[in-house]
Amino acid sequence: MTASSDPAEGQSLLCPVCQSGLLQFFQEVRGTVYHRCSLCEATVMDSRHWLTEAQERDVYALHDNHPDDPGYRRFLSKVTAPLLRRLEAGSYGLDFGCGPGPALAAMLEDSGMHVSLYDPFFHPDQATLARRYDFVTCTEVVEHLHRPADVFRQLDRLLKPGGWLAVMTCFQTDDSRFANWHYRRDPTHVVFYRETTLAWLASAYGWDLEVPAKDVALFRKL
């Protein structure tokens, strides 16, 4: 790991999350450069290190997240349990970035919700993006986004007033452990969020923010 004050070549100086703060060099880990936003404190991999779309899809296809896997369901319950406590019976939602095995959607439907699916690789149904929903879920999605600001604006449009956006991603906390952090080692993870980052998003979009569990953020559109 090395340190430098020089911005890396190939990376826009504007943060892709808030599009307001400037990216400043954060760390270089085994040849991969990361930047930190001066405003929202997101940590962003330099774009020259991103995988191609085909390479990303190959990595995602290796995920073995079966909807009936009890362990995976326990993992997802961190977000489904607090979300269900805030939803009315029979609410309509969208599992955004659901992946090849939409276990979260199955869990919510088991609890009486109606859930549509969207994933650019595995469920690319554009019709689902033309509706508005009582809730939208993004589990293990936002860390993959190359253009996160565009996606957060899209998510805001997908929500009805009073609707809930449920995000689950590993919050970035201890800078001294970043180089060896398991979450950083996934080559498809290009953006890392601190609670400060999530608070900035809530303020920018006029959402209320709750953090009911570790690595879970619930936003309510006002």
Side-chain angles (χ1 to χ4, degrees):
M1 182 172 67
T2 62
S4 167
S5 59
D6 296 329
E9 297 177 3
Q11 180 75 45
S12 168
L13 290 179
L14 204 61
C15 174
V17 178
C18 67
Q19 294 188 324
S20 300
L22 295 179
L23 293 179
Q24 300 171 341
F25 182 90
F26 171 55
Q27 288 186 21
E28 181 177 345
V29 184
R30 289 179 280 281
T32 301
V33 175
Y34 297 88
H35 306 285
R36 170 68 53 78
C37 176
S38 61
L39 180 61
C40 73
E41 299 187 11
T43 302
V44 182
M45 179 195 287
D46 191 280
S47 58
R48 63 185 147 167
H49 304 301
W50 295 349
L51 300 184
T52 66
E53 185 173 299
Q55 290 171 327
E56 279 191 278
R57 185 187 178 97
D58 288 345
V59 173
Y60 301 149
L62 296 174
H63 293 178
D64 186 20
N65 298 329
H66 195 277
D68 295 327
D69 184 312
Y72 190 48
R73 283 190 165 228
R74 281 194 299 273
F75 170 70
L76 292 176
S77 68
K78 286 175 53 178
V79 67
T80 57
L83 178 61
L84 285 168
R85 288 195 293 269
R86 291 159 174 82
L87 295 178
E88 296 183 5
S91 293
Y92 286 79
L94 175 68
D95 189 1
F96 186 93
C98 60
L104 183 136
M107 293 170 67
L108 292 169
E109 289 184 333
D110 289 347
S111 297
M113 304 301 159
H114 308 278
V115 186
S116 299
L117 304 177
Y118 176 76
D119 188 282
F121 293 112
F122 303 103
H123 293 273
D125 183 0
Q126 292 293 317
T128 61
L129 303 180
R131 306 171 196 153
R132 300 182 81 193
Y133 299 91
D134 302 310
F135 67 93
V136 177
T137 57
C138 285
T139 57
E140 299 294 309
V141 171
V142 296
E143 63 276 7
H144 301 277
L145 301 177
H146 291 180
R147 299 169 63 92
D150 291 347
V151 174
F152 281 110
R153 283 192 288 267
Q154 182 179 40
L155 295 171
D156 184 58
R157 292 193 298 269
L158 289 167
L159 284 172
K160 296 177 181 178
W164 290 92
L165 169 62
V167 172
M168 185 161 68
T169 186
C170 281
F171 298 175
Q172 196 272 318
T173 55
D174 188 346
D175 288 350
S176 67
R177 298 183 179 182
F178 182 77
N180 295 315
W181 188 27
H182 77 283
Y183 215 57
R184 184 207 61 79
R185 295 198 296 269
D186 186 322
T188 66
H189 291 180
V190 300
V191 184
F192 306 94
Y193 302 78
R194 301 168 74 86
E195 283 200 39
T196 309
T197 317
L198 302 171
W200 187 95
L201 289 167
S203 177
Y205 289 97
W207 300 334
D208 278 341
L209 169 63
E210 300 178 42
V211 180
K214 181 179 180 295
D215 300 329
V216 173
L218 296 181
F219 301 97
R220 187 168 187 265
K221 182 173 180 176
L222 301 178

